[in-house]
Amino acid sequence: MDDTPVRLTEEERKRRRIRSIALALTLGALVLLFYAVTVVRLGPAVLDRPL
Amino acid sequence: MSEWAAAGDRTVDKAIDGEASWQRREAASLSDYMTLLKPRVMSLVIFTAFVGMAIAPVEIHPVLGFAALLCIAIGAGASGALNMVYDADIDRIMQRTKSRPIPAGRVEPSEARAFGVTLSGFSVLTLGLIANWLAAALLAFTIFFYVVIYTLWLKRWTPQNIVIGGAAGAFPPVVGWVAATGSISIEPILLFLIIFVWTPPHFWALALLSREDYARAGVPMLPVVAGDHATRKQILAYTILLAPLGVSPVLFDMAGWLYGSVSAVAGLAFIGLSWRVYRRGSDETAARDAKNLFGYSILYLFLLFSLILMERWLGIV
């Protein structure tokens, strides 16, 4: 097995950073979307319940 | 087994060999992952699914409608990514597709496969939870049809590949309608049929332009197997079938006088362009006519679906 560590070039590092940011933004957008969908599906009363 | 069926089996073997010998030549960028989703096909899917959803008699909440459309778009994109995995050997040979992320050595086939499978599962399950399970099942079937029936089987086996495979591209308005209503009726079936019959003249016009490319890659497109003349004849036949079908939504009260008159004129223009392609020999203007027909076919479909939508908004229907 080749144990040589992978050295990324500056360009590869930049591309990886952009991919990571895009993934984070996508996940954030999904959280907001699922929140909105849940409120719409169950109605605003879902937030108004006895603790 | 036919000559093309045998060739199809060989190209499947080549696809597997090609995957084993894949080598990274460059790091993948964000746009490579976007390309895997076939954004141009996706935009047509979003538009037609939106029309199916918007004309449904049951109004869907805008948030749910947006989320459902997103799922349909992601499902279409996922099937595009899986298509690129299994077509990588062909894409590498064809001029039009050789710079796609997998043949260009920027995205590994296994990465693209994981990307496609994950997005497929995500889109189907989310659509089921957001809208209903009939819509989710239809989306799953569309993905299956495009990847397994069209890409893995028909495309390499028969010159009728895009005729039958065209069903995959015709499903989105049905999925959009079902997401809103939970059931299927004549209206979405009519939209399905319009796209289904529109697909052969649209793709064969492109195939006339890329015949050598397809022949080199061993894809049995109609111009490669049956020749240009037979293809032009088939284009004309399908267009003659499409023109009245394009007007038929008026008969089912799905559309009004505006749609009826514009779609009739647009259908006649489509037949006119197909007739020109049919009559033309294989001279240098033939390529220009085929290109015009290809461009017009996109405009035609866009026009029909836009008018159906516009008439609803204007209160004509």
Side-chain angles (χ1 to χ4, degrees), chain B residues 222-242:
Chain B
L222 194 60
V224 178
V225 177
D228 279 7
H229 181 71
T231 307
R232 292 197 295 260
K233 205 157 113 183
Q234 291 280 321
I235 287 177
L236 183 63
Y238 273 96
T239 314
I240 290 171
L241 192 64
L242 176 64

Side-chain angles (χ1 to χ4, degrees), chain A residues 12 15 18-19 22 30 33-34 36-37 40-41, chain B residues 26-28 30 33 61 70 122 126 129-131:
Chain A
E12 285 170 336
R15 288 183 177 191
I18 293 172
R19 287 202 309 266
L30 276 179
L33 184 71
F34 278 117
V37 165
V40 171
R41 289 281 294 188
Chain B
E26 209 184 326
L30 182 61
Y33 287 94
H61 189 286
L70 192 67
F122 170 83
T126 310
L129 292 168
I130 287 172

